[in-house]
Amino acid sequence: MVRRTILITGGAGFIGSHVVRRFVNGYPEYDIINCDKLTYAGNLENLKDVESRGNYFFEKVDIVDKPAVAALFEKYKIDGVIHLAAESHVDRSITSPETFIYTNIIGTVNLLNVALAHWKDSFDGKLFYHISTDEVFGSLGQDGLFTESSPYDPRSPYSASKASSDHLVRAYWHTYGLPVVVTNCSNNYGPNQFPEKLIPLAINNIKNNKPVPIYGKGDNVRDWLYVEDHAEAIDIIFHRGKSGSTYNIGGNNEWKNIDLIRLLCRVMDEKLGRQPGTSEKLITFVTDRPGHDKRYAIDSTKLQVTTGWKPIPDFRKGLEKTVDWYLANTEWLENIVSGEYEKYYESMYGNR
Ligand code: NAD
Ligand code: TYD
């Protein structure tokens, strides 16, 4: 049994909490250190079920604070990093880009520098795994898919900051030999996602009979992946990924926003015992997001062929599981909605 001490950054967030849970439960021989600043998006409620486990440790640390990151490496003798901490919402990056630059770029550089300083005598058994997004590739036309060799063309402050961090991670591999892997993943959905993102926002609004805002004509396309499939891919790549490599992760599941929301409305009508067609009436077209990328879609052949990983095939089932979770966890949702989210919602949508 190989003992390891793994630092997971952003573990209190949406995807991070699923990764932490998977590693804490699946690898009792590993110590899992969750380092999170607990921004509006970080919520320790997401990890209630694992917080008392002996191999789980939480540290409230801002990755922009380099001495704090260095102290963490000193205290725990970290030998693997899975880096998810980030500012992650495109709309927020349009209104306040600076935080994205600090956390997504400077924060990543701090982690790289501290990892390099601690590991430079021997890279044996060490890995810096950087989690990124398909948004770095820009926007696709009607056809084609993003592959690992697609050129970078980020078009929002969020995707530009993630692109910058991806380049830096690869630069540390080429320049210093730091063992790294990078993955670029499509849109995730599932339990614990903060209700500023499309699917949980729509679930919450439909539940409360509020308008569901669709940007522009609703014809933008995203490739949706169930969050536990992403966590599984991260687990596989952390253990079997080739150092210096990039892997694309996607759901093979493209949907126009309007079609996705219509399907979600049908699921919500069923779950809430409403007349078919009731929730669809809440759909409201609003002003488009500036610079709104038209289409994202991932070719994850490399990952599938080299590891056998596959996403769940049935989107409706994933959506139903997600809706069930939000309807069963009203306290989780209400805590968020009554706090920071409320202010955010007001500024974005005038509290419609
Ligand atoms: P999230 O916003 O739900 O969570 C981000 C977490 O990072 C939060 O817990 C937050 O408190 C923490 N954090 C933010 N700034 C920090 C700082 N300065 N120091 C320490 N912690 C900080 O995000 P998510 O959706 O779970 O995304 C996680 C990662 O996956 C991000 O890197 C994102 O770019 C990437 N990603 C997300 C998606 C998606 O669809 N959500 C898709 C592909 C890639
Ligand atoms: P989002 O969940 O913010 O993810 P991303 O911008 O990272 O892809 O948005 C998904 C899609 O849904 C995107 O095309 C923007 C659109 N959208 C709406 O139409 N209405 C909304 O209220 C939100 C939050 C997003």
Side-chain angles (χ1 to χ4, degrees):
M1 218 190 281
V2 184
R3 294 204 61 85
R4 301 184 79 167
T5 305
I6 300 167
L7 179 67
I8 299 183
T9 71
F14 165 47
I15 302 170
S17 61
H18 289 271
V19 176
V20 166
R21 177 175 302 101
R22 188 179 173 96
F23 274 72
V24 167
N25 289 334
Y27 301 99
E29 69 277 24
Y30 294 176
D31 282 339
I32 303 301
I33 322 301
N34 172 16
C35 136
D36 198 298
K37 181 184 173 184
L38 300 182
T39 66
Y40 78 94
N43 185 352
L44 290 175
E45 286 294 309
N46 293 345
L47 291 165
K48 270 261 164 279
D49 55 322
V50 296
E51 68 183 8
S52 59
R53 300 288 295 272
N55 64 337
Y56 171 73
F57 305 85
F58 173 70
E59 296 281 350
K60 186 172 183 305
V61 165
D62 180 349
I63 56 169
V64 176
D65 179 352
K66 190 176 173 197
V69 174
L72 208 55
F73 269 70
E74 204 49 60
K75 179 171 174 187
Y76 290 104
K77 311 288 177 234
I78 307 293
D79 47 35
V81 174
I82 305 178
H83 176 34
L84 296 111
E87 288 291 336
S88 69
H89 189 41
V90 174
D91 293 328
R92 285 181 191 257
S93 84
I94 294 168
T95 50
S96 9
E98 288 87 352
T99 346
F100 287 71
I101 309 308
Y102 284 114
T103 289
N104 298 1
I105 306 177
I106 309 289
T108 302
V109 174
N110 285 341
L111 285 160
L112 287 167
N113 281 333
V114 172
L116 185 62
H118 275 260
W119 298 348
K120 65 179 183 322
D121 292 337
S122 166
F123 289 138
D124 249 17
K126 311 291 197 299
L127 183 66
F128 190 102
Y129 181 169
H130 179 63
I131 308 292
S132 192
T133 164
D134 59 358
E135 305 193 23
V136 298
F137 300 123
S139 185
L140 288 165
Q142 298 264 332
D143 308 311
L145 300 170
F146 296 130
T147 69
E148 286 78 3
S149 52
S150 294
Y152 272 42
D153 183 23
R155 293 148 46 100
S156 74
Y158 164 65
S159 54
S161 67
K162 291 296 291 186
S164 172
S165 64
D166 294 11
H167 290 318
L168 284 158
V169 171
R170 294 193 186 100
Y172 274 61
W173 155 257
H174 287 290
T175 308
Y176 308 110
L178 187 78
V180 308
V181 286
V182 177
T183 53
N184 296 91
C185 186
S186 63
N187 286 64
N188 284 217
Y189 72 101
N192 307 95
Q193 188 168 29
F194 193 86
E196 64 185 352
K197 306 276 168 69
L198 179 65
I199 290 179
L201 180 142
I203 293 173
N204 187 44
N205 286 17
I206 293 168
K207 181 173 153 255
N208 295 308
N209 275 309
K210 280 185 165 183
V212 178
I214 302 289
Y215 300 163
K217 295 196 185 100
D219 56 359
N220 302 71
V221 174
R222 298 292 183 263
D223 172 1
W224 294 94
L225 178 69
Y226 193 63
V227 63
E228 286 176 2
D229 288 343
H230 190 186
E232 183 191 31
I234 291 172
D235 183 349
I236 292 171
I237 293 163
F238 181 77
H239 290 99
R240 291 160 51 197
K242 190 163 166 279
S243 217
S245 292
T246 294
Y247 298 86
N248 278 359
I249 309 173
N252 198 19
N253 181 38
E254 287 183 53
W255 285 80
K256 275 191 186 150
N257 292 338
I258 185 65
D259 295 339
L260 184 162
I261 293 301
R262 287 202 174 112
L263 172 62
L264 182 64
C265 286
R266 290 198 289 279
V267 170
M268 290 293 286
D269 282 345
E270 266 174 47
K271 300 281 178 189
L272 296 170
R274 292 179 180 169
Q275 284 294 325
T278 310
S279 300
E280 255 198 59
K281 297 202 182 93
L282 297 168
I283 293 176
T284 308
F285 292 94
V286 299
T287 309
D288 209 351
R289 171 187 282 171
H292 196 173
D293 287 339
K294 194 73 177 176
R295 177 171 164 257
Y296 305 143
I298 280 275
D299 177 351
S300 59
T301 307
K302 176 178 172 183
L303 174 62
Q304 298 202 31
V305 167
T306 54
T307 70
W309 173 86
K310 269 194 180 44
I312 52 162
D314 188 343
F315 184 48
R316 193 186 163 107
K317 269 205 190 113
L319 215 45
E320 283 184 11
K321 275 211 277 190
T322 306
V323 169
D324 287 343
W325 186 87
Y326 279 94
L327 295 181
N329 287 274
T330 46
E331 206 182 323
W332 182 95
L333 194 55
E334 271 151 26
N335 281 345
I336 287 175
V337 173
S338 62
E340 171 67 24
Y341 172 74
E342 187 77 332
K343 278 186 256 152
Y344 167 73
Y345 191 81
E346 209 166 302
S347 71
M348 287 302 292
Y349 307 116
N351 211 12
R352 271 172 293 158

